[in-house]
Amino acid sequence: MNRIQTISQTTHLKKAWEALKRNKYSYGIDDITIADFGSNLDANLIEISKKLRASTYQFSPVRGVALPKPGSSKKRPIRVATISDRVVQKAIEHSIADELMTAFDVKNKASYAYIKERGLLKAVGHINSLIKDGYEICLKGDIQNYFGEVNTRKLLDEMIFPVLGDDTSLNGLIEESLIQEVGNIQGLRKMLGSKQAEHIFPKVPMGIPQGGILSPLFSNIYLRDLDLTLIENGFELVRYADDFVVLTKTLDEALEAYEIALAVTKKLDLKLHPLSERNVITTKKAKTKTYLTLTDDFEFLGIAFTKGNLYPSADTFKKMKVRLKVLTRKTALEANSLGQKLSNVEQLTNSWARTYWFTSVDNHIKDRYISLNALLIKTVNLLVLSNGLIFKSDKLSDQKKLKRIGLSQFQHRLQSVKAKYLIDKSKVELVSIFIPGHKL
């Protein structure tokens, strides 16, 4: 049985569905949501299975979404596939991931993104531990337009397909998943202007699509040589997708690491942002730069490393404000019940708490939390008002208003999660990374 015959079995398709069914309101270009697809699940999976077995399955165009980048006029192009296409692509991933991850040593010690039991927390924890162990220099690297610049022919012909070997039954679908056209380009032209829309969503797709099911796996594979080369040369690398830092004990070592990274990325047809000189004031925010870990403030993965303390970065606060504002758009107000609207707010505060529980809440960050919580209460007031309701008393404090409807301010939710983690034996290893000497 070849790979396409294997993934065409409804049991395999059902497993793929289970892995991506959580966000029930997500939808593709056909407006079919995950909830819609799930309401007729068996029939939908049988139809996909028939097409796969007959080799007639074709991917649909994607829904292009231009997400704002905090602090910038630029947009991040996300390509959202239909639910049917996501099921097929997730089944493909299940079929090939283990073989490819083993062949390319994707789980090497430097790689933290899209790998089970790794992730942001352990990446930040590793950096924090290295700083405490005397690594005084941090080289922060940035690859220019990584996902858009990946050489797909090199990725497929020199990396993916050779490992998959003689069974080429999935090769066509894999290749097609990287070049799905954007089906709502006319709407994007009206919203963004033709020039910007066609710049971020080119007619002939290039690179690895952000938002694609196979993109996390492929992005790690493509940067495998960067990981292994720096590791083999004795450097402490922490890479999360296309963002990376190298921790060293001297500036000369950091400069050597930069030259190595520059050479490897060039071989991969990628461009590393030029290294900015220390203490040189420029009008642009430096993309690749060295920092003194004990005295300089630097940001990585949405975390501000500030003289031994960890905080959500300024951009992280901006991103959360954008997400709150989305909840009060006219379409969101009209589409959901009050219960769903408030549930969406709760999901944001819970997500913040689970992601940043290890960060400090003190006077250094106080003003940012005050500003974020002011927007939170404004959002809640608008959601309640949109359903023709108001709070019984205007004299209620913001905190009491939130508590009355089962919500809490961002930092209070964070501290609640932190307190639970401190007494949770299953979290002892994680907690010890950020709170040395903590024992249960």
Side-chain angles (χ1 to χ4, degrees), residues 91-141:
I92 291 172
E93 182 195 15
H94 285 168
S95 173
I96 65 177
D98 287 346
E99 188 175 358
L100 290 171
M101 289 179 75
T102 300
F104 291 99
D105 193 14
V106 167
K107 291 184 179 180
N108 67 72
K109 70 173 190 174
S111 183
Y112 283 86
Y114 319 126
I115 297 175
K116 193 175 180 181
E117 298 179 355
R118 295 273 181 98
L120 180 144
L121 279 176
K122 291 195 174 179
V124 173
H126 188 188
I127 295 168
N128 208 35
S129 297
L130 289 169
I131 292 171
K132 290 176 179 178
D133 286 343
Y135 285 78
E136 297 183 1
I137 305 293
C138 171
L139 167 69
K140 181 182 174 185

Side-chain angles (χ1 to χ4, degrees), residues 67-80:
L67 294 183
K69 291 184 177 182
S72 170
S73 60
K74 293 182 178 179
K75 305 289 185 181
R76 187 181 304 280
I78 305 298
R79 296 169 183 262
V80 184

Side-chain angles (χ1 to χ4, degrees), residues 209-399:
Q210 293 188 67
I213 296 293
L214 293 168
S215 298
L217 173 63
F218 288 174
S219 68
N220 271 337
I221 288 171
Y222 200 74
L223 289 176
R224 184 279 304 258
D225 283 353
L226 178 65
D227 297 346
L228 299 189
T229 304
L230 285 167
I231 291 170
E232 288 165 2
N233 279 274
F235 288 104
E236 291 289 351
L237 167 69
V238 176
R239 182 179 63 77
Y240 197 97
D242 57 320
D243 296 314
F244 70 90
V245 292
V246 181
L247 280 294
T248 67
K249 293 189 174 181
T250 70
L251 182 57
D252 285 345
E253 289 174 349
L255 297 177
E256 182 187 351
Y258 171 74
E259 292 299 331
I260 291 172
L262 193 64
V264 174
T265 50
K266 186 176 181 180
K267 286 182 181 178
L268 292 170
D269 299 324
L270 300 172
K271 293 180 181 178
L272 198 60
H273 278 283
L275 181 63
S276 299
E277 293 184 45
R278 281 187 51 75
N279 301 322
V280 174
I281 299 174
T282 63
T283 55
K284 292 184 178 180
K285 190 175 180 180
K287 296 284 190 176
T288 299
K289 191 175 179 180
T290 57
Y291 299 85
L292 297 175
T293 59
L294 300 181
T295 58
D296 293 342
D297 296 347
F298 70 94
E299 297 178 2
F300 185 64
L301 303 180
I303 301 298
F305 294 76
T306 306
K307 301 175 181 64
N309 292 312
L310 302 173
Y311 302 100
S313 69
D315 276 353
T316 297
F317 278 92
K318 289 178 184 176
K319 287 178 181 177
M320 182 52 71
K321 286 183 176 181
V322 170
R323 295 179 72 184
L324 280 171
K325 289 175 181 177
V326 166
L327 299 182
T328 58
R329 288 178 181 169
K330 184 178 179 181
T331 51
L333 292 177
E334 293 174 350
N336 299 318
S337 66
L338 179 59
Q340 183 58 53
K341 293 170 189 174
L342 296 178
S343 175
N344 291 339
V345 175
E346 184 180 29
Q347 286 176 28
L348 293 185
T349 58
N350 286 343
S351 172
W352 181 277
R354 288 194 301 269
T355 304
Y356 303 112
W357 66 267
F358 58 89
T359 58
S360 299
V361 178
D362 55 28
N363 285 335
H364 180 82
I365 206 79
K366 181 180 177 181
D367 288 346
R368 286 180 183 161
Y369 270 114
I370 289 173
S371 176
L372 181 61
N373 287 320
L375 181 59
L376 170 64
I377 194 67
K378 180 180 178 181
T379 300
V380 169
N381 282 330
L382 284 170
L383 297 181
V384 171
L385 188 61
S386 72
N387 278 67
L389 302 172
I390 58 171
F391 285 99
K392 225 174 194 182
S393 172
D394 288 336
K395 295 180 181 179
L396 285 174
S397 68
D398 290 346
Q399 192 171 336

Side-chain angles (χ1 to χ4, degrees), residues 46-90:
I46 289 171
E47 181 66 20
I48 292 172
S49 175
K50 287 179 180 177
K51 290 179 179 179
L52 287 172
R53 288 201 306 271
S55 297
T56 58
Y57 190 92
Q58 292 186 328
F59 291 128
S60 303
V62 295
R63 178 171 65 90
V65 178
L67 294 183
K69 291 184 177 182
S72 170
S73 60
K74 293 182 178 179
K75 305 289 185 181
R76 187 181 304 280
I78 305 298
R79 296 169 183 262
V80 184
T82 64
I83 311 305
S84 175
D85 288 354
R86 285 185 234 177
V87 170
V88 173
Q89 289 168 16
K90 180 57 75 171

